[in-house]
Amino acid sequence: MSSPVTPAAAPAAEPHAPDRTAGRERRYDIDLLRVLCTAAVVLVHASAEFIDAGHDTTGVLGDTAGRFAVPVFFALAGWAALSGAPVGDERRLLTRLGRILRPMAVWTALYLLCAYLTGGPGAGTAEEAGQALFGSVEAAFHLWYLYAYVPLLLLLGVVVLVVRQRTLPTRALALLVAFALAPALAGDVREITGWSPPDWGWSVPLSTVVYAVAGAALLAAPRLGPRALWAAGAAVAFTGLAVYQLTVHHPAAYGGVAVAAVTFAVLGTVAGIRVPERMRPLVARLSDASFGTYLVHLMWVRLLVGPVAGRLPDGPWAPAALAVTAVAAAALSFAVSVLWGRPGWRKWLG
C-alpha cells in the first residue's frame, strides 16, 4: 500500500486501506486513531508475555491501556465501509477483500514456518495449516481479528451495494451466505460422517457489528460536546476497566460494558482532532504501514518482550520493562512495515 500524504487523498479503509477515492479530504484524525490502535495492540500482546511470566498486575494494567484497540478498529472499519470509503461496485469489494486475505495467508504461512523451525507454539504445521482455513491458529493467534474483520467488511459492503447502489452483488452475496451457513454445515458433516472439522472462525459477533455501525456514526457526526469532557470520560472508563480486570475478570470481553465505555470515550476524544501540518506526513505514513505492523509485530513481541519478561525478577521495575519493550517492539514493527512498503511489497506483506 502506498503512502500518499496529500490532503486530496481519501482516507484508507481500515485497517489496511485497499483503495482511495479521489476528491475526498484525508482525515488525519482517522490516521492517528489507526496508529494509536496499532501500537495499543502491540502493548496488549506484550502485556500477555508479562502475565505469562508471572507479572500479573503489570500485565493486566498494560492490557487495560490497550484493550480499546480492537473495538476501535472495528469502528474504523464501519466508518470506512459506510462513510469514508464505501465501495462503488462488487469488483472493488472483492478487490478489497483480496488485499486483506493475500497478506493474511502469507503471514499465516510465515508464522507456521517459524513455529515449525523453532518448535514454538503451533509447531504441528500440517494440522495447524489445515485449521487456518477454518479459524485462527496458535502460531498466528493475533490474526483472529481478521477472521471477524473479513466477514464484517463483506457484510457492510454488500449492504452498501444493495442499499446505496441498488445492485445485486451475486458473488459477494454468495460468499456472505457461505460464511453464514458454514457453522451449521460443519455440524451436519460431523453428524453424518463422524469427522470433526475445526471450529469455524469466520464469523461476526453482534457486538462487532454494533461497534462498526455506532463507531461509523460517531466518527461521521459533527463534534459532539467538548473534547475535554470526552477525555475525562476516557480517564474514568480506563480506571473502571482496570478495576474490573484486576478484581472481576481478565481479559474483559470486547463486547462487555467496561470495554465499550473505553472504546467510545477514546473515539469521542480523538475524533476530529487536528493533527499539526508538520506531523501529517509521518502520521499518514505510519497509518499506511499499520496493517503490516499488525501482521509482523508478534515476531518482535516474542523475540524481545518474552525473553525480558521471563528473566525479570519480581519487583517494581516490571512496568518500566513492559513500557520499554513494548515501545521497542512497536517501533521495530512500524519500521520494517514502512521499509517493505517502499519497493511495493505491501501487496503481499500488508
Side-chain angles (χ1 to χ4, degrees):
M1 181 173 55
S2 60
S3 304
V5 296
T6 58
E14 184 7 71
H16 359 69
D19 41 59
R20 301 184 183 278
T21 305
R24 292 181 182 269
E25 182 179 356
R26 182 159 190 158
R27 283 190 57 174
Y28 292 96
D29 59 324
I30 299 293
D31 287 331
L32 181 60
L33 271 171
R34 191 173 296 118
V35 174
L36 290 175
C37 289
T38 304
V41 167
V42 180
L43 175 60
V44 167
H45 291 144
S47 300
E49 297 288 339
F50 273 73
I51 293 173
D52 290 344
H55 307 288
D56 292 347
T57 301
T58 294
V60 170
L61 291 176
D63 179 271
T64 298
R67 188 138 284 264
F68 69 92
V70 167
V72 169
F73 271 139
F74 286 128
L76 291 173
W79 172 83
L82 299 175
S83 177
V87 292
D89 53 51
E90 184 179 32
R91 181 188 61 80
R92 291 189 181 183
L93 174 58
L94 295 177
T95 298
R96 184 171 292 189
L97 292 176
R99 293 182 180 179
I100 302 165
L101 292 170
R102 192 183 302 111
M104 180 183 178
V106 169
W107 280 101
T108 298
L110 289 175
Y111 279 106
L112 288 170
L113 178 61
C114 287
Y116 176 76
L117 295 176
T118 63
T125 306
E127 181 181 354
E128 289 271 303
Q131 290 179 353
L133 298 175
F134 293 84
S136 182
V137 293
E138 176 62 22
F141 69 86
H142 66 305
L143 300 185
W144 73 265
Y145 162 72
L146 295 180
Y147 290 89
Y149 179 80
V150 168
L152 173 65
L153 184 65
L154 180 62
L155 172 63
L156 297 178
V158 167
V159 170
V160 166
L161 291 176
V162 171
V163 175
R164 284 193 177 186
Q165 307 298 330
R166 299 183 182 275
T167 61
L168 181 62
T170 53
R171 289 175 294 169
L173 190 57
L175 184 58
L176 184 63
V177 170
F179 277 133
L181 299 182
L185 179 61
D188 292 339
V189 169
R190 186 180 300 111
E191 290 293 330
I192 295 172
T193 67
W195 174 64
S196 181
D199 292 336
W200 184 255
W202 301 89
S203 59
V204 189
L206 179 60
S207 61
T208 296
V209 178
V210 172
Y211 278 129
V213 176
L218 182 58
L219 290 169
R223 183 75 218 156
L224 300 175
R227 196 177 306 280
L229 188 60
W230 282 101
V236 172
F238 273 112
T239 302
L241 178 58
V243 172
Y244 176 86
Q245 293 213 115
L246 287 169
T247 62
V248 180
H249 181 70
H250 173 267
Y254 287 122
V257 174
V259 176
V262 170
T263 298
F264 289 111
V266 168
L267 286 171
T269 301
V270 182
I273 196 170
R274 185 182 182 280
V275 177
E277 293 276 354
R278 66 182 183 281
M279 296 297 296
R280 289 180 181 180
L282 175 62
V283 170
R285 178 161 294 180
L286 293 178
S287 174
D288 288 345
S290 63
F291 185 37
T293 301
Y294 157 74
L295 292 169
V296 74
H297 81 273
L298 193 59
M299 288 190 176
W300 291 115
V301 168
R302 286 172 172 168
L303 286 172
L304 296 178
V305 183
V308 171
R311 292 177 173 83
L312 193 68
D314 292 334
W317 38 77
L322 172 59
V324 171
T325 55
V327 168
L332 288 168
S333 300
F334 271 112
V336 296
S337 181
V338 168
L339 287 175
W340 74 51
R342 292 178 181 275
W345 293 355
R346 203 167 297 288
K347 174 181 178 181
W348 296 100
L349 297 179

